[in-house]
Amino acid sequence: MINRRQHLLALAAATTLAAGTAQAQSDTVKVGVILPMTGPSASTGRQIDAAIKLWMAQSGGKAGGKKVEVIVKDDAGVADTTRRLAQELVVNDKVVALAGFGLTPLALATAPIATQSKTPMVVMAAATSAITEASPFILRTSFTLPQAAVGIAEWAPKNGIKKVVSLVTDYGPGNDAEKYFTERFILNGGTVMEKLRTPLRGADFAPVLQKVRDAKPDALFVFLPSGQGAQFMKQFGERGLDKAGIRLIATGDVTDDDQLNDMGDVALGVVNSHHYSAAHPSAANKKFVADFQAANKFRPNFMAVGGYDGIRLIFRGLDTTKGAGGEALLNAMKGQIFESPRGQILIDAQSREIVQDIYIRKVERKDGQLWNIEFDVQKAVKDPGKLK
Ligand code: DHB
């Protein structure tokens, strides 16, 4: 005798199986991309969307012998919306993979759906270390804040910076940036005078910048998410911190290539660490930037590269699985190594986390434009957040 519950379970299993077979037999596979196309993080969505479109044009939109249809949905940066859209993409559209995720809370809200539905989830933007531990189906092609922050914490004490104030946005990636920057800076003999935070939404930098002026550190260390750098830099200049001899050091999120060119002289000389600069001098990057700029009126930033590599990772996985999704696709994406516009990258098979070079860069003017010019590199950096 089977009871009603067992019957329903069997029915659900049969339906899933049928859907899986239909999917495997169809000529088209779907990938669901959820991005903030509107709202305060719209630049992240715009960059990643443009990069995916570039990849689709370059690859002919085919992988594993199938046509790949990319469905882009706008979550406006609201986690409840991200989760609902992910659910719909999995249940109604039967996507083989979920991708995008412009902010940490959006990725974390979706993790349980990836786990329950066994759908691989490629994080192209969000960068809190713990995200890849939220589901065994998550892989990442962006970066982690511990990766980025340790680079500048190594450089600063060797270059006359002994006393700093830190300033971060008060949520996951800011916590990581503050923790990993200050720990490494102190280990290298530096002193952290004060740790300041601003809210994710509606940040006004004037009050914290006044505190920094009063504290008179050698430098201010800053992490802010993509999109906030220009406003911060303007207020830093207006308050005269640069003229007061307070240097600015940062993760490259602040000197974001999306906004850098409009920041003006105040940005010149800012030393920062990150995984991607549009000025990275490789042949692969020169082609990427040229093709991207031919199709768009803006420069690619680190978000664009996370999107470009993320869709490439999914395509490569689909090539191996001949278009199948689920655990087969997850396994096919683990351990991938390829040359990104940023340099060589690896998706570590065990942690599903990206391993990449971290560059130390200085903002300079070249041919009338501002760029993050790389002058030093840490090779093949694993996420320091996973080593504890
Ligand atoms: C995150 C968002 C960003 O725009 C960024 O530059 C770094 C991290 C995040 O929410 O994880």
Side-chain angles (χ1 to χ4, degrees):
M1 270 287 283
I2 62 169
N3 65 27
R4 188 176 146 71
R5 188 177 142 71
Q6 281 167 329
H7 179 74
L8 280 177
L9 279 176
L11 192 69
T15 313
T16 311
L17 206 65
T21 311
Q23 197 175 55
Q25 284 166 358
S26 144
D27 292 340
T28 302
V29 293
K30 294 177 188 170
V31 173
V33 179
I34 311 174
L35 292 170
M37 298 302 298
T38 55
S41 302
S43 68
T44 296
R46 183 173 53 107
Q47 286 275 350
I48 294 177
D49 183 51
I52 292 174
K53 290 203 167 83
L54 177 61
W55 173 264
M56 294 300 283
Q58 290 173 337
S59 67
K62 285 197 139 191
K66 310 266 179 185
K67 184 174 173 295
V68 182
E69 183 188 337
V70 174
I71 306 172
V72 179
K73 299 277 185 188
D74 175 18
D75 63 13
V78 178
D80 285 344
T81 309
T82 320
R83 186 182 12 220
R84 176 177 56 77
L85 291 171
Q87 189 103 40
E88 287 170 10
L89 286 163
V90 168
V91 174
N92 301 341
D93 297 299
K94 316 249 179 311
V95 296
V96 288
L98 291 165
F101 311 103
L103 293 163
T104 289
L106 315 180
L108 292 178
T110 309
I113 294 172
T115 306
Q116 283 153 23
S117 67
K118 298 192 190 301
T119 307
M121 170 174 161
V122 177
V123 175
M124 297 170 156
T128 301
S129 174
I131 289 173
T132 39
E133 290 159 338
S135 166
F137 282 83
I138 293 181
L139 311 103
R140 174 151 43 197
T141 57
S142 52
F143 71 111
T144 77
L145 261 304
Q147 269 177 342
V150 163
I152 192 70
E154 287 288 339
W155 179 85
K158 295 182 199 133
N159 290 275
I161 296 170
K162 302 294 177 201
K163 291 185 296 178
V164 301
V165 171
S166 78
L167 168 62
V168 302
T169 303
D170 194 9
Y171 76 125
N175 299 346
D176 275 0
E178 182 190 270
K179 180 171 190 285
Y180 285 87
F181 172 81
T182 60
E183 273 182 14
R184 186 63 66 97
F185 187 70
I186 292 166
L187 185 72
N188 289 331
T191 305
V192 178
M193 303 170 76
E194 215 168 338
K195 297 177 185 175
L196 303 172
R197 294 186 174 205
T198 48
L200 177 58
R201 300 274 185 245
D204 174 14
F205 303 110
V208 285
L209 286 173
Q210 191 55 50
K211 283 195 186 170
V212 177
R213 246 203 111 126
D214 296 344
K216 298 192 179 59
D218 297 328
L220 171 64
F221 164 75
V222 184
F223 160 78
L224 302 169
S226 184
Q228 294 195 9
Q231 198 215 337
F232 167 80
M233 206 64 89
K234 185 164 169 279
Q235 294 195 344
F236 186 85
E238 281 168 2
R239 301 243 134 203
L241 272 82
D242 49 342
K243 307 224 167 42
I246 299 169
R247 297 180 69 180
L248 185 59
I249 54 177
T251 63
D253 310 74
V254 179
T255 56
D256 182 344
D257 274 305
D258 191 74
Q259 298 186 324
L260 180 61
N261 218 4
D262 301 321
M263 288 184 191
D265 287 358
V266 64
L268 287 173
V270 173
V271 177
N272 64 88
S273 49
H274 228 210
H275 55 292
Y276 178 68
S277 166
H280 180 62
S282 70
N285 185 53
K286 283 183 180 145
K287 181 176 182 332
F288 172 69
V289 174
D291 291 351
F292 191 96
Q293 290 202 297
N296 303 284
K297 290 196 172 63
F298 48 95
R299 208 192 255 185
N301 71 356
F302 62 98
M303 294 299 185
V305 169
Y308 190 71
D309 291 341
I311 192 73
R312 179 175 182 173
L313 181 67
I314 293 168
F315 268 59
R316 282 215 166 175
L318 290 171
D319 280 339
T320 305
T321 66
K322 308 264 183 294
E327 267 176 307
L329 179 57
L330 174 73
N331 290 332
M333 290 194 282
K334 288 180 184 176
Q336 290 272 352
I337 298 176
F338 55 83
E339 194 193 350
S340 154
R342 66 187 109 179
Q344 187 93 342
I345 64 169
L346 157 72
I347 305 302
D348 180 79
Q350 202 208 325
S351 62
R352 294 160 277 102
E353 188 63 86
I354 189 162
V355 180
Q356 60 189 330
D357 296 348
I358 296 293
Y359 304 90
I360 316 295
R361 310 99 55 89
K362 187 186 215 168
V363 178
E364 291 176 21
R365 183 173 278 121
K366 289 235 162 115
D367 303 325
Q369 293 197 38
L370 298 188
W371 302 95
N372 289 295
I373 303 295
E374 297 164 357
F375 64 88
D376 204 356
V377 61
Q378 300 179 327
K379 299 297 286 180
V381 179
K382 285 190 165 188
D383 175 26
K386 308 281 188 319
L387 303 176
K388 300 213 153 173

